[in-house]
Amino acid sequence: MLVARAWGLTALAILIVLAVGVWLDRGAIAEHIMARAFDRAMAADPIGQLPDGLHVGLCGSGSPMPDPTRAGPCTVVVAGKRLFVIDSGAGSVKNLSLMNLPPAKVDAVFLTHFHSDHIGDLGELMLQRWGGGAWTTPLPIYGPTGVDQVVAGFEAAYQLDRGYRTAHHGPVVMPPSGFGGAPRSFAISNSGPNVTLIDEPDLKVIAFPVNHHPVEPAVGYLFIYKNRRVAISGDTAASPRLVAAAHGADVLVHEGLSPALVEMQRQAALNHHRANLAAIMHDILSYHTTPEQAAAEAEQAHVRYLLFTHIIPPLPMRALEGPWLGNARSLFHGTIRVGHDGDFLSLPAGTDEIRRSNRFNTLF
């Protein structure tokens, strides 16, 4: 008994010494972990490591309302070895890097409309892509009529920074010809046809009009790669054109607004004499989609997976996801998920699989 107790005390003493040693050396240990993370991030080809297929993720699942867990609206699509970004809300460019999807690898951007929350990080995306990849050509930016004005505005705001970057790093690292964006405008209307923007044997990207009145034009996008399909709603109220475009899609990435929870915000604003905010909370109901409406549309379109984004209002506790969805799950027989930043769905070519992960876990 005494021997066992002595061994126990000895083991405890050793553990205490080790714990103290780890605590005293915690900075060096942290540096070692960080060095390994940097090495892994720099050495890996994050696009090449993905299975051939269509992939869609959320680089921002939030809205204009402040939410510490969600960046502004941003969706990323990987089709084969090509990386596309749909909208670029505030904070989304940092999320791309946190998802190990480097801005330098972005092939093109697609804007759904020009509300500030969907374009707030566009200048940063253009800059990070240019500097991270030593691009000699600007970033292609697709958007409906008006995209030229948006891109020109960001380029004007970044003109001084453009000079600083090239002067500091040199034209090899920051080639002047690669600065900014190359707008690729297309005309579209609610009464006109969809517009095919990319038409290749394995890849098609199609824009379709949605109902975000008075914001016109506003569009969603359909990506088709080797028969896998992802539809992205953009901001919209219930939209027959979206249902038609999304028909048979593997995944529908759709915005959502809970009227009941927004009404709580409106009442709080009224109670504290915030009339302007109360009016805004009332007005936004008319050009967004409730989770139940989106679920019904997904069911009608025979979609397999419904991923919600542009979450209104913020949901500071996961327990609120049930009230936010309402009875959406009873209206749609596929999979429903309330999206979070970093969420990533993989659709390998030649299969009907939909694999979910979160790419915030890929660096450490």
Side-chain angles (χ1 to χ4, degrees), residues 265-341:
Q265 289 182 299
R266 193 183 76 87
Q267 285 298 328
L270 289 173
N271 292 343
H272 295 280
H273 310 292
R274 307 284 292 276
N276 202 64
L277 287 178
I280 291 172
M281 297 306 169
H282 170 270
D283 293 344
I284 62 176
L285 299 177
S286 68
Y287 63 2
H288 290 292
T289 310
T290 71
E292 290 94 341
Q293 288 173 325
E297 289 187 321
E299 183 74 12
Q300 185 180 351
H302 302 288
V303 169
R304 297 176 55 214
Y305 198 116
L306 176 57
L307 177 63
F308 279 108
T309 189
H310 201 274
I311 308 300
I312 304 175
L315 305 177
M317 297 172 286
R318 291 217 177 199
L320 286 168
E321 291 183 4
W324 187 87
L325 283 170
N327 67 340
R329 294 192 188 278
S330 68
L331 300 172
F332 176 61
H333 292 92
T335 301
I336 288 182
R337 178 169 173 80
V338 178
H340 293 264
D341 289 13

Side-chain angles (χ1 to χ4, degrees), residues 25-189:
D25 206 29
R26 64 190 184 281
I29 294 171
E31 285 184 345
H32 178 71
I33 293 172
M34 181 62 77
R36 291 188 61 184
F38 284 150
D39 183 72
R40 180 179 175 184
M42 296 294 182
D45 175 8
I47 309 300
Q49 290 176 341
L50 294 171
D52 184 39
L54 191 60
H55 312 263
V56 59
L58 299 181
C59 34
S61 60
S63 72
M65 300 180 188
D67 185 336
T69 66
R70 288 185 165 92
C74 178
T75 303
V76 61
V77 169
V78 179
K81 305 305 177 188
R82 299 168 70 179
L83 177 63
F84 303 109
V85 171
I86 300 87
D87 291 336
S88 187
S92 62
V93 174
K94 288 183 179 179
N95 273 355
L96 279 174
S97 294
L98 290 172
M99 294 170 72
N100 201 16
L101 297 171
K105 299 287 188 181
V106 175
D107 282 86
V109 172
F110 295 84
L111 297 179
T112 63
H113 65 295
F114 309 127
H115 260 148
S116 60
D117 60 310
H118 289 254
I119 62 173
D121 247 14
L122 184 59
E124 197 63 20
L125 179 55
M126 292 191 296
L127 180 67
Q128 294 293 334
R129 191 245 194 190
W130 174 40
W135 284 86
T136 57
T137 55
L139 172 63
I141 302 174
Y142 293 85
T145 304
V147 69
D148 305 69
Q149 181 180 349
V150 171
V151 173
F154 276 102
E155 287 187 337
Y158 277 70
Q159 276 297 330
L160 292 175
D161 196 19
R162 173 191 188 183
Y164 304 150
R165 302 289 178 175
T166 302
H168 188 192
H169 302 292
V172 174
V173 175
M174 307 293 285
S177 60
F179 169 80
R184 299 188 178 180
S185 177
F186 56 88
I188 196 167
S189 69

